[in-house]
Amino acid sequence: MKKNIFLITIIALGFITRFYRLGEAPAGLYLDEAAQGYNAYSILKTGKDEFGQFLPIVFRSFADFKTPIYIYLIVPLIPIFGLTPFTVRFPSFFFSVLTLPLIYLLVKKLFPKPAPSMALALLTTLMLAISPWHTLFGRTNFECNVALFFLLSAVYSFYLSLKKPPLLILSALFFAITIPAYHSQRVIVPLLLLLLFVRHRRLLLSSSHCRFSVGAFILGLLLSLPTLSIMTTPGFLARAATLNIFTGGPSGYLSWYQGPLASLINARWYLATKEFFSLYLSYFSPRNLFHLGDYGPRSSFPDLATLFTWQYPFYLFGLYRLVVEKKLGELRFFMLALFLISSLPAAVTRDPFTTIRALPMVIPLSFIVALGLVRGFQLISPVFRKTALFCFGFALVYSLVNLY
């Protein structure tokens, strides 16, 4: 009972930090928010978007094309709340809050039995609830926030299906929704599915699971046909074509150098590869995670990075424990996998450290900090544990004050 009270309190905390003045702060609507709200209104009234396309799969807007899931989620809300900033932001808020109990269930499910997992699951949920990264994205219109919920729902359903095979169908449904929910999921979902299949292939192809695996594959493919049918269209590729590091002139070209290594140093493949690894590694940089944060004013709090400074030592210790604690089993595998692949889509774009495209990374980061806190607390002498809890409580209050 006490553990349920802790979970409810954490979810309530996450609800309040995301709901308070939802339609007022941030003030006004960003151009993407306004465009999605107007397109949802147009769909409601005419069945067409602002350019006259009937129930489009991608939405043309300004200089790019929007994914459809978020816009269609706004449509039924307009008759209830009106066409307001609150309405446009509500789906992001709603799914952001739902992600909190979902990550609790996922950590609890994957934690090796019979070892107790409650403290780690609760702390992971708490770290996500107060995360500046996840909180901000839950207060504004971000497609990636909705996509993250469906991604975790798909993964949770998948792990449940290992003992209940029919749930593979539900997992396939969630994965199929995730892909068109946000651009970066077109990379993350296939990679994660491949890793999960390779790791559990024997069970998935066994007599108890095989027919459900085939059914899930067929369902996922059928639901993805609308997306696959437009993969080669300019609208589908517009965002990737304008932002990826492989088009246009690669950065780092040394026009003044004409030495014997010029053909290597200025080779397009070499420059693109170097830029990719530079961008990819930037998402693991403590300087970016704890000090600089996202450079975009829409995707960051003033004077706050993606994680709080006080979490830094626990991040380092938690990362070390995640690497060395093989007994964490499936939980270790999933968190490391998501940690390593979340930033891949962002690393092929020219924008430096953009948290929008790497949002799934907030899940393993929250877990890593929580693991560092749990393991660190276990090392403290019982004499000093009350003092440690007091300091932790102070850090939480400090964090909430800084959010507002």
Side-chain angles (χ1 to χ4, degrees):
M1 183 64 182
K2 184 183 294 186
K3 295 169 183 177
N4 291 335
I5 292 175
F6 283 139
L7 178 60
I8 293 170
T9 302
I10 291 169
I11 295 172
L13 177 64
F15 180 94
I16 293 169
T17 56
R18 289 156 177 77
F19 188 77
Y20 175 67
R21 299 181 65 194
L22 179 62
E24 303 170 39
L29 288 175
Y30 186 69
L31 57 90
D32 284 340
E33 292 181 300
Q36 288 179 322
Y38 180 77
N39 273 295
Y41 179 77
S42 182
I43 291 291
L44 176 68
K45 295 299 183 181
T46 68
K48 301 177 181 179
D49 70 359
E50 61 182 294
F51 291 94
Q53 296 296 315
F54 181 74
L55 299 179
I57 301 173
V58 292
F59 285 79
R60 181 183 172 191
S61 178
F62 297 107
D64 68 351
F65 289 76
K66 300 284 186 291
T67 52
I69 301 297
Y70 198 102
I71 293 174
Y72 286 116
L73 286 171
I74 299 173
V75 173
L77 299 176
I78 296 175
I80 302 172
F81 302 115
L83 186 57
T84 65
F86 176 89
T87 304
V88 173
R89 292 170 177 170
F90 186 84
S92 188
F93 152 76
F94 180 74
F95 286 102
S96 174
V97 174
L98 287 184
T99 303
L100 298 176
L102 184 56
I103 190 59
Y104 169 82
L105 291 172
L106 185 59
V107 172
K108 190 177 176 184
K109 172 66 179 174
L110 297 185
F111 199 90
K113 303 296 185 292
S117 61
M118 197 65 66
L120 186 56
L122 286 171
L123 270 176
T124 301
T125 309
L126 178 59
M127 292 302 100
L128 188 63
I130 67 169
S131 164
W133 191 352
H134 196 252
T135 299
L136 176 63
F137 281 33
R139 295 188 53 82
T140 45
N141 173 317
F142 279 109
E143 302 150 300
C144 57
N145 212 17
V146 174
L148 177 61
F149 169 80
F150 283 110
L151 177 68
L152 293 178
S153 297
V155 171
Y156 182 60
S157 301
F158 173 83
Y159 279 112
L160 290 177
S161 75
L162 297 181
K163 290 187 176 180
K164 299 178 179 179
L167 289 177
L168 277 170
I169 305 299
L170 181 62
S171 179
L173 174 63
F174 284 134
F175 274 123
I177 295 173
T178 304
I179 292 176
Y182 189 62
H183 304 292
S184 65
Q185 297 297 341
R186 299 167 188 170
V187 176
I188 293 173
V189 168
L191 288 175
L192 191 55
L193 277 172
L194 178 62
L195 290 173
L196 290 172
F197 175 77
V198 170
R199 185 168 176 84
H200 299 282
R201 62 189 182 278
R202 292 183 180 176
L203 180 60
L204 294 174
L205 298 177
S206 67
S207 58
S208 62
H209 283 70
C210 188
R211 66 182 185 277
F212 294 105
S213 298
V214 173
F217 176 78
I218 294 173
L219 176 64
L221 185 61
L222 289 175
L223 293 175
S224 300
L225 282 179
T227 302
L228 294 173
S229 67
I230 60 168
M231 282 185 64
T232 58
T233 61
F236 187 87
L237 299 173
R239 195 68 171 166
T242 56
L243 290 174
N244 81 81
I245 61 176
F246 304 107
T247 57
S251 62
Y253 184 84
L254 304 177
S255 58
W256 53 268
Y257 180 72
Q258 301 297 328
L261 297 178
S263 59
L264 171 63
I265 292 176
N266 289 324
R268 179 181 291 272
W269 67 267
Y270 172 76
L271 294 174
T273 302
K274 185 175 73 170
E275 186 173 7
F276 168 78
F277 281 106
S278 175
L279 290 167
Y280 178 71
L281 293 174
S282 71
Y283 289 89
F284 304 94
S285 164
R287 185 167 179 262
N288 287 329
L289 290 172
F290 296 93
H291 178 58
L292 296 179
D294 195 315
Y295 70 96
R298 184 194 175 208
S299 49
S300 61
F301 280 111
D303 302 321
L304 275 182
T306 53
L307 294 168
F308 294 107
T309 306
W310 66 266
Q311 295 174 322
Y312 180 48
F314 302 106
Y315 164 76
L316 292 178
F317 186 53
L319 185 58
Y320 166 73
R321 297 308 309 176
L322 181 62
V323 172
V324 301
E325 283 193 38
K326 295 183 179 180
K327 65 180 181 180
L328 289 174
E330 197 65 29
L331 183 57
R332 175 177 179 265
F333 164 78
F334 172 71
M335 289 300 176
L336 279 175
L338 194 59
F339 185 59
L340 294 173
I341 68 176
S342 291
S343 57
L344 285 174
V348 298
T349 65
R350 297 186 182 279
D351 296 333
F353 198 75
T354 169
T355 53
I356 298 175
R357 300 187 189 104
L359 179 61
M361 197 174 182
V362 75
I363 299 301
L365 284 174
S366 299
F367 173 77
I368 288 168
V369 172
L371 182 62
L373 283 165
V374 170
R375 295 295 183 259
F377 186 77
Q378 291 171 345
L379 294 176
I380 296 175
S381 168
V383 178
F384 299 105
R385 286 187 175 179
K386 287 187 178 180
T387 304
L389 289 173
F390 174 81
C391 292
F392 178 64
F394 179 81
L396 290 180
V397 174
Y398 166 83
S399 301
L400 293 172
V401 169
N402 273 269
L403 283 177
Y404 288 92

